[in-house]
Structures are given as structure tokens and as C-alpha cells.
Amino acid sequence: GAGVSQSPRYKVAKRGQDVALRCDPISGHVSLFWYQQALGQGPEFLTYFQNEAQLDKSGLPSDRFFAERPEGSVSTLKIQRTQQEDSAVYLCASSPLTGTYANGYTFGSGTRLTVV
Amino acid sequence: GNSVTQMEGPVTLSEEAFLTINCTYTATGYPSLFWYVQYPGEGLQLLLKATKADDKGSNKGFEATYRKETTSFHLEKGSVQVSDSAVYFCALPSSGSARQLTFGSGTQLTVLP
């Protein structure tokens, strides 16, 4: 597609519910990233995929967070047993590059998750 | 590790005013530096970048110069427009991984007509 597409745009979950957030990167982009952006803050890194391989998941805040990209294109970020502190905007970004990112990424519009 | 400290907002200006948003960084070596912009309801967009010391990045009338002496990358625009209202983020690669970006906390800019 022309850009990075994320769905849903908004998600309200009851505490304890599981959620799944979807990211469609730009076609052919090798690298895919998930970031978490709390209200009034800058995005913080969660995890990184190169094709289908999850090469870095050091930013995932707990084992309730899980991400996958089984065919090297679409990615899903799953949060189990959601808690109020999980409320944030979840941003997906993709890049055609696998090395340094001097040209930056292309970000999606994000999914705003609110846990009540 | 690498970090950025960004001017706190919000910043409110009248149209055609001069804009400066301060950004200072702490880093190992001389990594690329970025400014991203987030318009209401949209994702982050790369506004400009500089890949080495003394480089000047520019785009859409915005400029920022990579100054290693002062470890700064301040964003400037000579005459802002209402359409520039957005949140601006300074960023650099995270230490230990050129793939990840470390972002500042963002500066909300509102331009009044």
C-alpha cells in the first residue's frame, strides 16, 4: 500500500481483556517496528522485525506483550490481560532498510488503546 | 545511553512569527539526528534530518543544524503558519542499536491566525 496502515484506530478494552492490534507495512519493507506512545510523551521502542524474524524485543514491558509477523508482512501486537497502564497509542513503522536508519521510518497513524 | 532533551511546551505563536524549538542530545559518537512532526490524528512524519556534524537539514521552511560543540539540533522556522500546528519530536538512534530511535517528549506548537 501507499503507507503504513494500522487497525483499529481506536480500541477500548476492559481491564483483563486481551487485545490484538494490526499493522500493514508498506509493501516490500523489510523492517517493521512497534512503538508505544503514552499521553504527552515521545514514542518508546517495543520490538523490531526483519522480515519474519523478531530480532529485538527488548522494549516489550512484560510477558503480557507479544508480537508476531509470520509471513514477513502484516504484524500483530497482542496484549494479554490488559491493565490501565497499557493505555497508550501503539505506533507501527516500517523501513526498506536493514542497517542504519539515516532516512528514518514511515509511521502509521497508530492505534489508541484505552483500558477501562 | 543516547538521549534527547527537548524544550517543553506548549508553544503558542501568532502566524508569521519566528519559531525555535530547542533540542539537545547526549550520544556516543556522532549519530544521525532527526525531527519528526505529528499532526493531529496522524502518525509521525519525518520532517528533516542531519547525518553528520555541521550538516543542516531543511524541509518545508524548517531548518536544524547539527552542532557538536553544543550538542544541539534546534528546530527553526522564520515564519510559521497555522498549518504548522502540530507536535514536534527530536530523535536519534538508540545507543547499542542503530535501528531503534530514542525520541524526546515532544513540543506542542499552536499557531494562531
Side-chain angles (χ1 to χ4, degrees):
Chain A
V4 177
S5 177
Q6 292 188 246
S7 60
R9 285 295 306 272
Y10 304 93
K11 176 69 179 177
V12 179
K14 292 184 178 179
R15 192 172 54 180
Q17 187 178 357
D18 297 349
V19 298
L21 312 179
R22 177 187 170 102
C23 172
D24 276 277
I26 292 174
S27 179
H29 276 199
V30 171
S31 297
L32 184 145
F33 304 80
W34 285 98
Y35 282 76
Q36 179 190 58
Q37 185 178 14
L39 186 65
Q41 298 298 313
E44 294 191 354
F45 171 81
L46 293 177
T47 187
Y48 161 68
F49 289 86
Q50 183 174 313
N51 296 308
E52 70 278 5
Q54 189 175 20
L55 299 186
D56 188 344
K57 53 183 180 179
S58 61
L60 296 177
S62 77
D63 59 8
R64 296 186 296 104
F65 286 71
F66 172 76
E68 60 183 7
R69 191 185 186 198
E71 297 179 357
S73 56
V74 171
S75 177
T76 304
L77 177 66
K78 298 180 179 178
I79 309 173
Q80 297 177 325
R81 305 181 303 281
T82 53
Q83 300 177 6
Q84 286 191 318
E85 61 262 33
D86 300 335
S87 295
V89 175
Y90 290 86
L91 296 168
C92 179
S94 70
S95 169
L97 306 175
T98 59
T100 59
Y101 296 88
N103 288 325
Y105 315 142
T106 301
F107 280 88
S109 299
T111 294
R112 180 177 298 278
L113 172 65
T114 304
V115 181
V116 298
Chain B
N2 293 355
S3 65
V4 290
T5 300
Q6 199 172 328
M7 172 180 175
E8 290 190 14
V11 174
T12 303
L13 296 173
S14 297
E15 204 165 24
E16 299 183 0
F18 184 85
L19 168 71
T20 299
I21 300 178
N22 290 340
C23 172
T24 57
Y25 67 89
T26 301
T28 303
Y30 302 105
S32 297
L33 300 174
F34 304 89
W35 276 101
Y36 278 82
V37 58
Q38 188 173 35
Y39 297 104
E42 299 184 15
L44 278 75
Q45 301 176 22
L46 179 64
L47 179 60
L48 55 82
K49 64 177 173 67
T51 57
K52 61 183 187 295
D54 299 325
D55 260 5
K56 177 184 284 187
S58 61
N59 186 27
K60 300 182 181 180
F62 291 89
E63 294 183 339
T65 301
Y66 190 160
R67 300 199 185 280
K68 64 179 181 180
E69 299 84 3
T70 53
T71 62
S72 65
F73 193 55
H74 304 323
L75 182 68
E76 297 181 334
K77 187 174 185 181
S79 177
V80 293
Q81 305 300 312
V82 173
S83 57
D84 294 327
S85 298
V87 182
Y88 293 82
F89 294 92
C90 187
L92 80 171
S94 303
S95 51
S97 173
R99 301 186 188 102
Q100 302 174 22
L101 289 177
T102 294
F103 289 86
S105 57
T107 302
Q108 171 79 55
L109 170 66
T110 301
V111 180
L112 302 176

